Amino acid sequence: MHEAMIVLLLTSLFCATGRAEEIDIKNLMINNPEWYIKITDWHVYAGSSCPAIIHHVTIENTSDSDTAYKDIKTRVRYYSTIYENYGTQISQETRVLPVIVLPHGKETYLKNVATPL
């Protein structure tokens, strides 16, 4: 009878540890969405008299859970293409894309609507 109690106790500890790991992974997905959201394609229109506009943005949710993400915060960095300063960051913009990225999804957003940067 003493041996059965030890096996039961160890089984309970392994089950509790598994749930704790699931919770930790879920917390990582919530607290670090940049690890699970991949922007793989986008188009930007930059006119001379208006702000740059982003459209046709392809976003992939690579998380292993059923976590959806919305209002994706993006940072666009502008770099110089002039010979003397080539590759030097000259500006950056941070905006929120008003989209919902479903779990395990990959989709192109902002097809009919453009978002100013």
Side-chain angles (χ1 to χ4, degrees), residues 2-75:
H2 183 63
E3 293 174 9
M5 288 176 56
I6 292 173
V7 171
L8 181 61
L9 178 61
L10 290 177
T11 304
S12 297
L13 288 176
F14 288 129
C15 291
T17 303
R19 282 190 216 120
E21 289 175 5
E22 284 180 23
I23 291 170
D24 286 344
I25 291 171
K26 184 78 167 174
N27 286 339
L28 283 174
M29 291 178 191
I30 292 169
N31 295 330
N32 301 292
E34 67 277 9
W35 295 354
Y36 304 98
I37 295 294
K38 305 280 187 240
I39 297 178
T40 58
D41 193 21
W42 64 92
H43 297 272
V44 175
Y45 170 77
S48 60
S49 62
C50 64
I53 296 173
I54 190 167
H55 59 96
H56 288 81
V57 181
T58 302
I59 304 174
E60 181 178 5
N61 182 348
T62 63
S63 69
D64 292 333
S65 75
D66 292 331
T67 303
Y69 296 97
K70 72 174 193 168
D71 298 333
I72 307 297
K73 184 177 180 181
T74 61
R75 181 182 304 127

Side-chain angles (χ1 to χ4, degrees), residues 36-117:
Y36 304 98
I37 295 294
K38 305 280 187 240
I39 297 178
T40 58
D41 193 21
W42 64 92
H43 297 272
V44 175
Y45 170 77
S48 60
S49 62
C50 64
I53 296 173
I54 190 167
H55 59 96
H56 288 81
V57 181
T58 302
I59 304 174
E60 181 178 5
N61 182 348
T62 63
S63 69
D64 292 333
S65 75
D66 292 331
T67 303
Y69 296 97
K70 72 174 193 168
D71 298 333
I72 307 297
K73 184 177 180 181
T74 61
R75 181 182 304 127
V76 177
R77 294 182 176 129
Y78 300 93
Y79 294 90
S80 174
T81 56
I82 297 173
Y83 178 74
E84 295 85 21
N85 296 324
Y86 188 84
T88 303
Q89 183 176 330
I90 55 175
S91 178
Q92 79 175 17
E93 294 287 334
T94 302
R95 293 290 186 260
V96 174
L97 300 179
V99 299
I100 297 173
V101 181
L102 298 176
H104 316 290
K106 180 176 181 179
E107 189 173 334
T108 301
Y109 300 88
L110 305 174
K111 294 176 188 174
N112 299 321
V113 177
T115 300
L117 293 174

